[in-house]
Amino acid sequence: MLNKIFFLIGSIFLIFNIFMIQIGNLQARSLSNFICMPDQLETPEQRGLEIFGKLSGFDPCNKSVEFKVPEISSKPGLIISVHGGGGKKDAASINAEFYKIGYATLIFDAYDMNSISLGRIGNAYRQMMLLKTSYAAYKWVLNREEIDNKNIYFYGISNGASAVLNIAGMVSPVHVRGVISEAPNPIGIGYPNSIRIPIQIIFGDLDDLSAPIGKKRWEISAPCYLNRRFDFAPMGFSEDCRKGKNKIKMPTTLEWAETVLKENNVQIDIKYIKDMAHGGFLGPVKIQTRNFGRGPIGWSLGGTPVARDKMMSIIKDFLAK
C-alpha cells in the first residue's frame, strides 16, 4: 500500500514538472511569436566574389534571429549586433555579454537572410547585405513594445563594423544613441560623408587582419577599384573612390574619423586595447598570416580575458554617456 502511495505521489510530481517545463518553454519562446515578413526576403546570386540581384531586408521569423529581452521593471535599451565575414557566430559571444549587463539584444545572420552560404565573398558585397538587413531590423524594432526605442545602439565587428559606421549616417538620433564599431575596414562600400550618431571605434593593438605585413588594421588603405558604391548607403567616399572612379586616395579609418562631418557635434572616440587582435571575443590570441594569392597579409585573431574585460569596460562607459 505504501509503495502505491509513493508511486502515485511520484507520478503526480513528474506530471507537474513536465507541465512546468512546457510552460517555461512557452514563455521562453514568447519573443519568437512574430508576424513573419517573407516579402522582405530575396534570393540574390553569388558569382565569384560578387553578389548579384536584389538584397533582403529583415524577416523576424528567419531561423537565425534571436531577440532577447531581460525581465526588468522598466523597458530596457536594445543593442543590435551586426556580425562580420564569418556570419552570426562572429558576434554571438559579445552579444551574450550585452544581455548580461541588462540590455535587450537582437542578433541575426544577414547572409542566411539572403540565402547566401558562408564562403569567399568580396568585402563590398558582405557589407551591402549587412547594411540592408541591419537597417531593416532597426525599422522593425522601432515598433516593438518590449524595448525602449529611444535607447538603441548598434554593435558591429569587422565587416559589420564598417556597416554600422554607415548606419551612423542613416538612423535617427531620436532613437539611436550610439554605434560601437570593432575593427572596421574602409575597403568595401566605404564610410559615410557625415554622421548623426556618436561612435565608439575599438581596435586591438595586435589587429593586423587584412593589413600588409608590418601594418595594423587602422592603417589599411587600398586601390579604389576594390570599393563599390552602394546606393542604399549614405553618400560617402566611395562616390569618388570605387571601381571605375579614382578621384581620391582611399582614406584609412583614422583619416576618415578626422575629416567626416559630425552633425550636431557628435563625437568619434577611438580606443586601442592591449593584447587583443581582430575580434576580441572570437577566442584566444592567434598571431598568424594568410595568403589569398596576392602575397601574405596579417590575419591575427582573438584576445586575452583581460583584453575582453577592458573592451566591455570601454563599451559600458560609452553606453553610460
Coordinates of all heavy atoms in Angstrom, one line a residue, residues 131-224:
L131 N 24.4 45.8 -44.2 CA 23.7 47.1 -44.0 C 22.2 47.1 -44.3 O 21.4 47.6 -43.6 CB 24.4 48.1 -45.0 CG 23.9 49.6 -44.9 CD1 24.1 50.2 -43.5 CD2 24.6 50.5 -45.9
K132 N 21.9 46.4 -45.4 CA 20.5 46.4 -45.8 C 19.6 45.6 -44.7 O 18.6 46.1 -44.3 CB 20.3 45.7 -47.2 CG 18.9 45.6 -47.7 CD 18.5 46.8 -48.4 CE 17.1 46.7 -48.9 NZ 16.9 45.8 -50.1
T133 N 20.1 44.5 -44.3 CA 19.4 43.7 -43.3 C 19.4 44.4 -41.9 O 18.3 44.4 -41.2 CB 19.9 42.3 -43.2 OG1 19.7 41.6 -44.4 CG2 19.2 41.5 -42.1
S134 N 20.5 45.0 -41.5 CA 20.6 45.6 -40.2 C 19.7 46.9 -40.1 O 19.0 47.1 -39.1 CB 22.0 46.1 -39.9 OG 22.8 44.9 -39.9
Y135 N 19.6 47.7 -41.2 CA 18.8 48.8 -41.2 C 17.3 48.4 -41.2 O 16.5 49.0 -40.4 CB 19.0 49.7 -42.4 CG 18.2 51.0 -42.4 CD1 18.6 52.1 -41.6 CD2 17.1 51.1 -43.2 CE1 17.9 53.2 -41.6 CE2 16.3 52.3 -43.2 CZ 16.7 53.3 -42.4 OH 16.0 54.5 -42.3
A136 N 16.9 47.4 -41.9 CA 15.6 46.9 -41.9 C 15.2 46.3 -40.5 O 14.1 46.5 -40.0 CB 15.4 45.8 -42.9
A137 N 16.2 45.7 -39.8 CA 16.0 45.2 -38.4 C 15.7 46.4 -37.5 O 14.8 46.3 -36.6 CB 17.2 44.4 -37.9
Y138 N 16.4 47.5 -37.7 CA 16.2 48.7 -36.9 C 14.8 49.2 -37.1 O 14.1 49.6 -36.1 CB 17.3 49.7 -37.3 CG 16.9 51.1 -37.0 CD1 16.9 51.7 -35.8 CD2 16.7 52.0 -38.1 CE1 16.5 53.0 -35.6 CE2 16.4 53.3 -38.0 CZ 16.3 53.8 -36.7 OH 16.0 55.2 -36.5
K139 N 14.3 49.3 -38.3 CA 13.0 49.8 -38.6 C 11.9 48.9 -37.9 O 10.9 49.4 -37.4 CB 12.8 49.9 -40.1 CG 13.7 50.8 -40.8 CD 13.5 52.2 -40.4 CE 12.3 52.9 -41.0 NZ 12.2 54.3 -40.7
W140 N 12.2 47.6 -37.9 CA 11.3 46.6 -37.3 C 11.2 46.8 -35.7 O 10.1 46.9 -35.2 CB 11.8 45.2 -37.6 CG 10.9 44.1 -37.0 CD1 9.7 43.7 -37.3 CD2 11.3 43.3 -35.8 NE1 9.2 42.7 -36.5 CE2 10.2 42.4 -35.6 CE3 12.4 43.3 -35.0 CZ2 10.2 41.5 -34.5 CZ3 12.4 42.3 -33.9 CH2 11.3 41.5 -33.7
V141 N 12.4 47.0 -35.1 CA 12.4 47.1 -33.6 C 11.7 48.4 -33.1 O 11.3 48.5 -32.0 CB 13.8 47.0 -33.0 CG1 14.3 45.6 -33.3 CG2 14.7 48.1 -33.4
L142 N 11.6 49.4 -34.0 CA 11.0 50.7 -33.5 C 9.6 50.5 -33.1 O 9.1 51.3 -32.2 CB 11.1 51.7 -34.7 CG 12.5 52.3 -35.0 CD1 12.3 53.3 -36.2 CD2 13.1 52.9 -33.8
N143 N 9.0 49.5 -33.5 CA 7.6 49.2 -33.2 C 7.4 48.1 -32.1 O 6.3 47.7 -31.8 CB 6.7 48.8 -34.4 CG 6.7 50.0 -35.4 OD1 6.4 51.1 -35.0 ND2 6.9 49.7 -36.7
R144 N 8.5 47.6 -31.6 CA 8.4 46.6 -30.5 C 8.2 47.2 -29.2 O 9.0 48.1 -28.7 CB 9.7 45.8 -30.5 CG 10.0 45.0 -31.8 CD 9.0 44.1 -32.2 NE 8.5 43.1 -31.2 CZ 7.6 42.2 -31.4 NH1 7.0 42.2 -32.6 NH2 7.2 41.4 -30.5
E145 N 7.1 46.8 -28.5 CA 6.8 47.4 -27.2 C 7.6 46.9 -26.1 O 7.6 47.5 -25.0 CB 5.3 47.1 -26.9 CG 4.3 47.8 -27.9 CD 2.9 47.6 -27.6 OE1 2.6 46.8 -26.6 OE2 2.0 48.1 -28.3
E146 N 8.4 45.9 -26.3 CA 9.2 45.3 -25.2 C 10.4 46.1 -24.9 O 11.0 46.0 -23.8 CB 9.7 43.9 -25.6 CG 8.6 42.9 -25.9 CD 8.3 42.8 -27.4 OE1 8.6 43.8 -28.1 OE2 7.7 41.8 -27.9
I147 N 10.8 47.0 -25.8 CA 12.1 47.8 -25.6 C 11.9 49.3 -25.6 O 10.8 49.8 -26.0 CB 13.1 47.4 -26.6 CG1 12.6 47.7 -28.1 CG2 13.5 45.9 -26.5 CD1 13.4 48.7 -28.8
D148 N 12.8 50.0 -25.0 CA 12.8 51.4 -25.1 C 13.4 51.9 -26.4 O 14.6 51.8 -26.7 CB 13.7 52.0 -24.0 CG 13.8 53.5 -24.0 OD1 13.2 54.2 -24.9 OD2 14.5 54.1 -23.1
N149 N 12.6 52.3 -27.4 CA 13.0 52.6 -28.7 C 13.7 53.9 -28.9 O 14.0 54.3 -30.0 CB 11.9 52.4 -29.7 CG 10.9 53.5 -29.7 OD1 11.0 54.5 -28.9 ND2 9.8 53.4 -30.5
K150 N 14.0 54.6 -27.7 CA 14.8 55.8 -27.7 C 16.1 55.5 -27.1 O 16.9 56.4 -26.7 CB 14.1 56.9 -27.1 CG 12.8 57.4 -27.8 CD 12.2 58.6 -27.1 CE 11.1 59.2 -28.0 NZ 10.1 58.3 -28.4
N151 N 16.4 54.2 -26.9 CA 17.7 53.8 -26.3 C 18.3 52.6 -27.0 O 18.5 51.6 -26.5 CB 17.4 53.5 -24.8 CG 18.7 53.3 -24.0 OD1 19.8 53.7 -24.4 ND2 18.6 52.6 -22.9
I152 N 18.5 52.8 -28.3 CA 19.0 51.8 -29.2 C 20.5 52.0 -29.6 O 20.9 53.2 -29.8 CB 18.2 51.7 -30.5 CG1 16.7 51.3 -30.2 CG2 18.8 50.6 -31.5 CD1 15.8 51.4 -31.4
Y153 N 21.3 50.9 -29.6 CA 22.7 51.0 -30.0 C 22.9 49.9 -31.1 O 22.2 48.9 -31.1 CB 23.6 50.7 -28.8 CG 23.6 51.8 -27.8 CD1 22.7 51.9 -26.8 CD2 24.6 52.8 -27.8 CE1 22.7 52.9 -25.8 CE2 24.6 53.8 -26.9 CZ 23.7 53.8 -25.9 OH 23.7 54.8 -24.9
F154 N 23.9 50.2 -31.9 CA 24.4 49.2 -32.8 C 25.8 48.8 -32.4 O 26.6 49.6 -32.0 CB 24.4 49.7 -34.3 CG 23.1 49.7 -35.0 CD1 22.3 50.8 -34.8 CD2 22.7 48.7 -35.8 CE1 21.0 50.8 -35.5 CE2 21.5 48.7 -36.5 CZ 20.7 49.8 -36.3
Y155 N 26.1 47.5 -32.5 CA 27.5 47.0 -32.4 C 27.8 46.2 -33.7 O 27.0 45.4 -34.2 CB 27.6 46.0 -31.2 CG 28.8 45.1 -31.3 CD1 30.1 45.6 -30.9 CD2 28.8 43.9 -31.8 CE1 31.2 44.8 -31.0 CE2 29.9 43.1 -32.0 CZ 31.1 43.6 -31.6 OH 32.3 42.8 -31.7
G156 N 29.0 46.4 -34.2 CA 29.4 45.7 -35.4 C 30.9 45.3 -35.3 O 31.7 46.0 -34.7
I157 N 31.2 44.1 -35.8 CA 32.5 43.5 -35.8 C 33.0 43.3 -37.2 O 32.2 42.8 -38.1 CB 32.6 42.2 -35.0 CG1 34.0 41.5 -35.2 CG2 31.5 41.3 -35.4 CD1 35.1 42.2 -34.6
S158 N 34.2 43.8 -37.6 CA 34.8 43.6 -38.9 C 34.0 44.2 -40.0 O 33.8 45.4 -40.0 CB 35.1 42.1 -39.1 OG 36.0 41.8 -40.1
N159 N 33.5 43.4 -41.0 CA 32.7 44.0 -42.0 C 31.4 44.6 -41.4 O 30.8 45.5 -41.9 CB 32.3 42.9 -43.0 CG 33.4 42.7 -44.1 OD1 33.7 43.6 -44.8 ND2 33.9 41.5 -44.2
G160 N 30.9 44.0 -40.3 CA 29.8 44.5 -39.6 C 30.1 45.9 -39.0 O 29.3 46.8 -38.9
A161 N 31.4 46.1 -38.6 CA 31.8 47.3 -38.0 C 31.8 48.4 -39.1 O 31.4 49.6 -38.8 CB 33.2 47.2 -37.5
S162 N 32.2 48.1 -40.3 CA 32.1 49.0 -41.4 C 30.6 49.4 -41.7 O 30.3 50.5 -42.0 CB 32.7 48.5 -42.7 OG 34.1 48.2 -42.4
A163 N 29.7 48.3 -41.7 CA 28.3 48.6 -41.9 C 27.7 49.5 -40.9 O 26.9 50.4 -41.3 CB 27.6 47.2 -41.9
V164 N 28.0 49.4 -39.6 CA 27.4 50.2 -38.6 C 27.9 51.7 -38.7 O 27.2 52.6 -38.2 CB 27.5 49.6 -37.2 CG1 26.8 48.3 -37.1 CG2 28.9 49.5 -36.7
L165 N 29.1 51.9 -39.2 CA 29.6 53.2 -39.4 C 28.7 53.9 -40.5 O 28.4 55.1 -40.3 CB 31.0 53.3 -39.9 CG 32.1 52.9 -38.9 CD1 33.5 53.0 -39.4 CD2 32.0 53.7 -37.6
N166 N 28.2 53.2 -41.5 CA 27.3 53.7 -42.4 C 25.9 53.9 -41.8 O 25.2 54.9 -42.0 CB 27.2 52.8 -43.6 CG 28.3 53.0 -44.6 OD1 28.2 53.9 -45.4 ND2 29.3 52.1 -44.5
I167 N 25.5 53.0 -40.9 CA 24.3 53.2 -40.1 C 24.3 54.5 -39.4 O 23.2 55.2 -39.3 CB 24.1 52.0 -39.1 CG1 23.7 50.7 -39.8 CG2 23.1 52.3 -38.0 CD1 22.3 50.6 -40.2
A168 N 25.4 54.9 -38.9 CA 25.5 56.2 -38.1 C 25.2 57.4 -39.0 O 24.9 58.5 -38.4 CB 26.9 56.4 -37.5
G169 N 25.2 57.2 -40.3 CA 24.8 58.3 -41.2 C 23.4 58.2 -41.7 O 22.9 59.0 -42.5
M170 N 22.6 57.2 -41.2 CA 21.3 56.9 -41.7 C 20.2 57.0 -40.7 O 19.1 57.4 -41.0 CB 21.3 55.5 -42.3 CG 22.2 55.2 -43.4 SD 22.4 53.5 -43.9 CE 20.8 53.1 -44.6
V171 N 20.5 56.6 -39.4 CA 19.4 56.4 -38.4 C 19.1 57.7 -37.7 O 19.9 58.7 -37.7 CB 19.7 55.3 -37.4 CG1 19.8 54.0 -38.1 CG2 21.1 55.6 -36.7
S172 N 18.0 57.8 -37.0 CA 17.6 59.0 -36.3 C 18.2 59.0 -34.9 O 18.1 58.1 -34.1 CB 16.1 59.0 -36.1 OG 15.7 60.0 -35.2
P173 N 18.8 60.2 -34.5 CA 19.3 60.3 -33.1 C 18.2 60.3 -32.1 O 18.5 60.2 -30.9 CB 20.1 61.6 -33.2 CG 19.5 62.4 -34.4 CD 19.1 61.3 -35.3
V174 N 17.0 60.4 -32.5 CA 15.9 60.3 -31.6 C 15.8 58.9 -31.0 O 15.5 58.7 -29.8 CB 14.6 60.7 -32.2 CG1 13.4 60.4 -31.3 CG2 14.6 62.2 -32.6
H175 N 16.2 57.9 -31.8 CA 16.1 56.5 -31.4 C 17.4 55.9 -31.1 O 17.5 55.0 -30.3 CB 15.3 55.7 -32.5 CG 13.9 56.2 -32.8 ND1 12.9 56.0 -31.9 CD2 13.4 56.9 -33.8 CE1 11.8 56.5 -32.4 NE2 12.1 57.1 -33.5
V176 N 18.4 56.2 -31.9 CA 19.7 55.5 -31.7 C 20.7 56.5 -31.0 O 21.0 57.6 -31.4 CB 20.3 55.1 -33.1 CG1 21.7 54.4 -32.9 CG2 19.3 54.2 -33.8
R177 N 21.2 55.9 -29.9 CA 22.1 56.8 -29.0 C 23.6 56.6 -29.4 O 24.4 57.4 -28.9 CB 21.9 56.4 -27.6 CG 20.4 56.8 -27.1 CD 20.3 56.7 -25.6 NE 21.2 57.5 -24.9 CZ 21.4 57.4 -23.6 NH1 20.7 56.5 -22.9 NH2 22.3 58.1 -23.0
G178 N 24.0 55.5 -30.1 CA 25.4 55.3 -30.4 C 25.6 54.1 -31.2 O 24.8 53.2 -31.3
V179 N 26.8 54.1 -31.8 CA 27.3 53.0 -32.6 C 28.7 52.5 -32.0 O 29.6 53.3 -31.8 CB 27.4 53.4 -34.0 CG1 28.4 52.5 -34.8 CG2 26.1 53.4 -34.7
I180 N 28.8 51.2 -31.9 CA 30.1 50.6 -31.4 C 30.7 49.8 -32.6 O 30.0 48.9 -33.1 CB 29.9 49.7 -30.2 CG1 29.2 50.4 -29.1 CG2 31.2 49.1 -29.8 CD1 28.5 49.6 -28.1
S181 N 31.8 50.2 -33.1 CA 32.4 49.7 -34.3 C 33.8 49.0 -33.9 O 34.7 49.7 -33.7 CB 32.6 50.8 -35.3 OG 33.2 50.3 -36.5
E182 N 33.8 47.7 -33.9 CA 35.0 47.0 -33.5 C 35.8 46.5 -34.8 O 35.3 45.7 -35.5 CB 34.7 45.8 -32.7 CG 36.0 45.1 -32.2 CD 35.8 43.7 -31.5 OE1 34.6 43.4 -31.2 OE2 36.8 43.0 -31.3
A183 N 36.9 47.2 -35.1 CA 37.8 46.8 -36.2 C 37.2 47.0 -37.6 O 37.1 46.1 -38.4 CB 38.2 45.4 -36.0
P184 N 36.7 48.2 -37.9 CA 36.2 48.5 -39.2 C 37.3 48.5 -40.3 O 38.5 48.6 -40.0 CB 35.5 49.9 -39.1 CG 36.4 50.5 -38.0 CD 36.7 49.4 -37.0
N185 N 36.9 48.4 -41.5 CA 37.8 48.4 -42.7 C 37.2 49.3 -43.8 O 36.1 49.1 -44.2 CB 37.9 46.9 -43.2 CG 38.9 46.7 -44.3 OD1 39.4 47.7 -44.9 ND2 39.1 45.5 -44.7
P186 N 38.0 50.2 -44.3 CA 37.5 51.1 -45.3 C 37.2 50.4 -46.7 O 36.6 51.0 -47.6 CB 38.5 52.2 -45.5 CG 39.8 51.5 -45.1 CD 39.4 50.6 -44.0
I187 N 37.8 49.2 -46.9 CA 37.6 48.5 -48.1 C 36.2 47.9 -48.2 O 35.9 47.1 -47.3 CB 38.7 47.4 -48.3 CG1 40.1 48.1 -48.3 CG2 38.5 46.7 -49.6 CD1 41.2 47.0 -48.3
G188 N 35.4 48.2 -49.1 CA 34.1 47.6 -49.3 C 33.2 48.6 -49.9 O 33.3 49.0 -51.1
I189 N 32.2 49.2 -49.1 CA 31.3 50.2 -49.6 C 31.8 51.6 -49.0 O 31.2 52.6 -49.3 CB 29.9 50.0 -49.2 CG1 29.7 49.9 -47.6 CG2 29.4 48.7 -49.8 CD1 28.2 49.8 -47.2
G190 N 32.9 51.6 -48.3 CA 33.4 52.9 -47.8 C 32.6 53.3 -46.5 O 31.8 52.6 -46.0
Y191 N 32.9 54.5 -46.1 CA 32.3 55.2 -45.0 C 31.5 56.4 -45.4 O 31.8 57.0 -46.4 CB 33.3 55.6 -43.9 CG 34.2 54.5 -43.4 CD1 35.5 54.8 -43.0 CD2 33.8 53.2 -43.3 CE1 36.4 53.8 -42.5 CE2 34.6 52.2 -42.8 CZ 35.9 52.5 -42.4 OH 36.8 51.5 -41.9
P192 N 30.5 56.8 -44.6 CA 29.7 58.0 -45.0 C 30.4 59.3 -44.9 O 31.4 59.5 -44.1 CB 28.5 57.9 -44.0 CG 29.1 57.3 -42.8 CD 30.1 56.3 -43.3
N193 N 29.9 60.3 -45.6 CA 30.5 61.7 -45.5 C 30.1 62.4 -44.3 O 30.8 63.4 -43.9 CB 30.0 62.5 -46.7 CG 30.7 62.0 -48.0 OD1 31.8 61.4 -48.0 ND2 30.1 62.3 -49.2
S194 N 29.0 62.0 -43.7 CA 28.5 62.7 -42.4 C 27.9 61.6 -41.5 O 27.3 60.6 -42.0 CB 27.6 63.8 -42.7 OG 26.4 63.3 -43.3
I195 N 27.9 61.9 -40.2 CA 27.3 61.0 -39.2 C 26.4 61.8 -38.3 O 26.6 63.0 -38.1 CB 28.4 60.3 -38.4 CG1 29.3 61.3 -37.7 CG2 29.2 59.3 -39.3 CD1 30.2 60.7 -36.6
R196 N 25.4 61.1 -37.8 CA 24.4 61.8 -36.9 C 24.5 61.3 -35.5 O 23.9 61.8 -34.6 CB 23.0 61.5 -37.4 CG 22.7 61.9 -38.8 CD 21.4 61.4 -39.3 NE 21.1 61.8 -40.6 CZ 20.0 61.3 -41.3 NH1 19.1 60.6 -40.6 NH2 19.7 61.7 -42.5
I197 N 25.3 60.2 -35.3 CA 25.2 59.4 -34.0 C 26.7 59.3 -33.5 O 27.6 59.1 -34.2 CB 24.7 58.0 -34.3 CG1 23.4 58.0 -35.1 CG2 24.6 57.2 -33.0 CD1 22.3 58.7 -34.4
P198 N 26.8 59.4 -32.1 CA 28.2 59.2 -31.5 C 28.7 57.8 -31.9 O 27.9 56.8 -31.9 CB 27.9 59.4 -30.0 CG 26.7 60.2 -29.9 CD 25.8 59.8 -31.1
I199 N 30.0 57.7 -32.1 CA 30.6 56.5 -32.5 C 31.8 56.1 -31.5 O 32.6 57.0 -31.2 CB 31.2 56.5 -33.9 CG1 30.0 56.7 -34.9 CG2 32.0 55.3 -34.3 CD1 30.4 56.9 -36.3
Q200 N 31.8 54.9 -31.1 CA 33.0 54.3 -30.4 C 33.6 53.3 -31.3 O 33.1 52.3 -31.6 CB 32.5 53.7 -29.1 CG 33.7 53.0 -28.3 CD 34.6 54.1 -27.7 OE1 34.3 54.8 -26.8 NE2 35.8 54.1 -28.3
I201 N 34.8 53.6 -31.7 CA 35.6 52.7 -32.5 C 36.6 52.0 -31.6 O 37.3 52.7 -30.8 CB 36.3 53.4 -33.7 CG1 35.3 53.9 -34.7 CG2 37.3 52.4 -34.4 CD1 35.9 54.8 -35.8
I202 N 36.8 50.7 -31.8 CA 37.7 49.9 -30.9 C 38.6 49.0 -31.8 O 38.1 48.4 -32.7 CB 36.9 49.0 -30.0 CG1 36.1 49.8 -29.0 CG2 37.9 48.1 -29.2 CD1 35.1 49.0 -28.1
F203 N 39.9 49.1 -31.6 CA 40.9 48.2 -32.2 C 41.7 47.5 -31.2 O 42.0 48.1 -30.2 CB 41.8 49.1 -33.1 CG 41.3 49.6 -34.4 CD1 41.0 51.0 -34.5 CD2 41.0 48.8 -35.5 CE1 40.5 51.5 -35.7 CE2 40.5 49.3 -36.6 CZ 40.2 50.7 -36.7
G204 N 42.0 46.3 -31.4 CA 43.0 45.6 -30.7 C 44.4 46.0 -31.1 O 44.6 46.2 -32.3
D205 N 45.4 46.2 -30.2 CA 46.7 46.7 -30.6 C 47.4 45.7 -31.5 O 48.4 46.0 -32.1 CB 47.5 47.1 -29.4 CG 48.0 46.0 -28.6 OD1 47.4 44.9 -28.6 OD2 48.9 46.2 -27.8
L206 N 46.9 44.4 -31.5 CA 47.6 43.4 -32.4 C 46.8 43.1 -33.7 O 47.2 42.2 -34.4 CB 47.7 42.1 -31.6 CG 48.4 42.1 -30.2 CD1 48.3 40.8 -29.5 CD2 49.9 42.5 -30.4
D207 N 45.8 43.9 -33.9 CA 44.9 43.6 -35.1 C 45.6 44.0 -36.4 O 45.7 45.2 -36.7 CB 43.6 44.4 -34.9 CG 42.6 44.0 -35.9 OD1 42.9 43.2 -36.8 OD2 41.4 44.4 -35.8
D208 N 45.9 43.0 -37.1 CA 46.5 43.2 -38.5 C 45.7 42.6 -39.6 O 46.2 42.4 -40.7 CB 48.0 42.7 -38.5 CG 48.1 41.2 -38.2 OD1 47.0 40.6 -38.0 OD2 49.2 40.7 -38.1
L209 N 44.5 42.2 -39.2 CA 43.7 41.4 -40.2 C 43.5 42.2 -41.5 O 43.1 43.4 -41.5 CB 42.4 41.0 -39.6 CG 41.7 39.9 -40.5 CD1 41.4 38.7 -39.6 CD2 40.4 40.5 -41.0
S210 N 43.9 41.6 -42.6 CA 43.8 42.2 -44.0 C 44.8 43.3 -44.2 O 44.8 43.8 -45.3 CB 42.4 42.7 -44.2 OG 41.4 41.7 -44.2
A211 N 45.7 43.6 -43.3 CA 46.7 44.6 -43.5 C 47.9 44.1 -44.1 O 48.3 42.9 -43.8 CB 47.0 45.3 -42.1
P212 N 48.7 44.9 -44.8 CA 50.0 44.4 -45.3 C 50.9 44.0 -44.1 O 50.7 44.6 -43.0 CB 50.6 45.6 -46.1 CG 49.4 46.4 -46.4 CD 48.4 46.2 -45.3
I213 N 51.8 43.1 -44.3 CA 52.7 42.7 -43.3 C 53.4 43.9 -42.7 O 54.0 44.7 -43.4 CB 53.7 41.6 -43.8 CG1 53.0 40.4 -44.3 CG2 54.7 41.3 -42.7 CD1 52.1 39.7 -43.3
G214 N 53.4 44.0 -41.4 CA 54.0 45.2 -40.7 C 53.1 46.3 -40.4 O 53.4 47.3 -39.7
K215 N 51.9 46.3 -41.0 CA 50.9 47.3 -40.7 C 49.7 46.8 -39.8 O 49.6 45.6 -39.6 CB 50.3 47.8 -42.1 CG 51.2 48.4 -43.0 CD 51.6 49.8 -42.6 CE 52.4 50.5 -43.7 NZ 52.8 51.9 -43.3
K216 N 48.9 47.7 -39.3 CA 47.8 47.4 -38.5 C 46.5 47.7 -39.2 O 46.4 48.4 -40.2 CB 47.9 48.1 -37.2 CG 49.1 47.8 -36.4 CD 49.2 46.4 -35.9 CE 50.4 46.1 -35.0 NZ 50.6 44.7 -34.7
R217 N 45.4 47.2 -38.6 CA 44.1 47.3 -39.2 C 43.7 48.8 -39.5 O 43.1 49.1 -40.5 CB 43.1 46.6 -38.3 CG 41.6 46.7 -38.8 CD 41.3 45.6 -39.6 NE 39.8 45.5 -39.9 CZ 39.3 44.6 -40.7 NH1 40.0 43.7 -41.4 NH2 38.0 44.5 -40.9
W218 N 44.0 49.6 -38.5 CA 43.7 51.0 -38.6 C 44.5 51.8 -39.7 O 44.2 52.9 -40.0 CB 43.7 51.7 -37.3 CG 45.1 51.7 -36.6 CD1 46.2 52.5 -36.8 CD2 45.5 50.7 -35.7 NE1 47.2 52.1 -36.0 CE2 46.9 51.0 -35.3 CE3 44.9 49.6 -35.1 CZ2 47.6 50.2 -34.4 CZ3 45.6 48.8 -34.2 CH2 47.0 49.1 -33.9
E219 N 45.5 51.2 -40.2 CA 46.3 51.8 -41.3 C 45.9 51.4 -42.7 O 46.6 51.8 -43.7 CB 47.8 51.4 -41.0 CG 48.4 51.9 -39.7 CD 49.8 51.5 -39.5 OE1 50.0 50.3 -39.1 OE2 50.7 52.3 -39.7
I220 N 44.9 50.5 -42.8 CA 44.5 50.0 -44.1 C 44.0 51.1 -45.0 O 43.1 51.8 -44.7 CB 43.5 48.9 -43.9 CG1 44.1 47.6 -43.3 CG2 42.8 48.5 -45.3 CD1 43.1 46.5 -43.1
S221 N 44.6 51.1 -46.2 CA 44.1 51.8 -47.4 C 44.3 50.8 -48.5 O 44.9 49.8 -48.4 CB 44.8 53.1 -47.6 OG 44.3 53.8 -48.7
A222 N 43.7 51.1 -49.7 CA 43.8 50.2 -50.8 C 43.5 50.9 -52.1 O 42.9 52.0 -52.1 CB 42.9 49.0 -50.6
P223 N 43.8 50.3 -53.2 CA 43.3 50.9 -54.5 C 41.8 51.0 -54.6 O 41.1 50.1 -54.1 CB 43.9 49.9 -55.5 CG 45.0 49.2 -54.9 CD 44.6 49.1 -53.4
C224 N 41.3 52.1 -55.2 CA 39.9 52.3 -55.2 C 39.1 51.3 -55.9 O 37.9 51.1 -55.7 CB 39.6 53.7 -55.8 SG 40.1 55.1 -54.8

